[in-house]
Amino acid sequence: MMSSDHAAIDVPESSAAAKGKAPLIGSQREQKRGINKGLGIADFLLRLGAITSALAAAATMGTSDQTLPFFTQFFQFEASYDDLPTFMFFVIAMALISGYLVLSLPFSIVIIVRPYAVAPRLLLFILDTVALTLTTAAGGAATAIVYLAHNGNPNTNWLAICNQFGDFCQNVSGAVVASFVTVVVFIVLILLSGFALKRH
């Protein structure tokens, strides 16, 4: 008698199909690694720019000093940043921000070397947010004083001094602009860090 049962034969997956999946997964991983590394390089370059703007803001404000060429027997007309606590706070804050940015560079390099590292990105994300808050506070407070220096306030009898102390006002105004450039860079850094963390 002939058996009606048919033997089942397992056909193994061809080596070509097996090899086709591995390169696909590998290419996606390499692409993700390349994007993360690109974000790390952008982070490093932005930090260098932020260091420049923060140092420029601190140095410009810290050297703002002008003495008028005329004086009386009892008075000498001089304007200096240390006459105003707000400007002193500005110089100290921007100096601290500059120091923080310099210290953050090694962590930014780690992100470039190890694109999948989460801890350095998370640390920089938190510290950048704190630094952004301090920079915005310093820039905003100094902006109010610079506005009064340019326009005065008739309601409180505060006179505008920029007509007499033109160089001083130009320096402090430039320092404030540089501080807000730093604010913009910090915002971009935080967005980049958030995007990179979301990809992990």
Side-chain angles (χ1 to χ4, degrees), residues 42-47 50 101 104 108 124-125 128 182-195:
D43 181 277
F44 182 80
L45 295 177
L46 285 171
R47 288 182 190 282
L101 286 167
S104 71
S108 185
L124 289 178
F125 179 82
D128 285 348
T182 309
V183 167
V184 172
V185 175
F186 269 126
I187 292 174
V188 176
L189 284 172
I190 291 171
L191 291 176
L192 283 178
S193 296
F195 178 73

Side-chain angles (χ1 to χ4, degrees), residues 81-146:
Y81 84 96
D82 54 5
D83 293 332
L84 296 166
T86 302
F87 286 165
M88 293 180 66
F89 166 68
F90 180 91
V91 172
I92 295 171
M94 297 311 298
L96 290 174
I97 294 301
S98 301
Y100 158 70
L101 286 167
V102 172
L103 294 176
S104 71
L105 290 179
F107 294 94
S108 185
I109 294 174
V110 170
I111 290 173
I112 298 174
V113 176
R114 300 177 58 191
Y116 291 106
V118 177
R121 285 191 186 276
L122 182 60
L123 178 64
L124 289 178
F125 179 82
I126 296 172
L127 294 179
D128 285 348
T129 303
V130 176
L132 172 63
T133 304
L134 180 59
T135 308
T136 305
T143 299
I145 301 300
V146 170

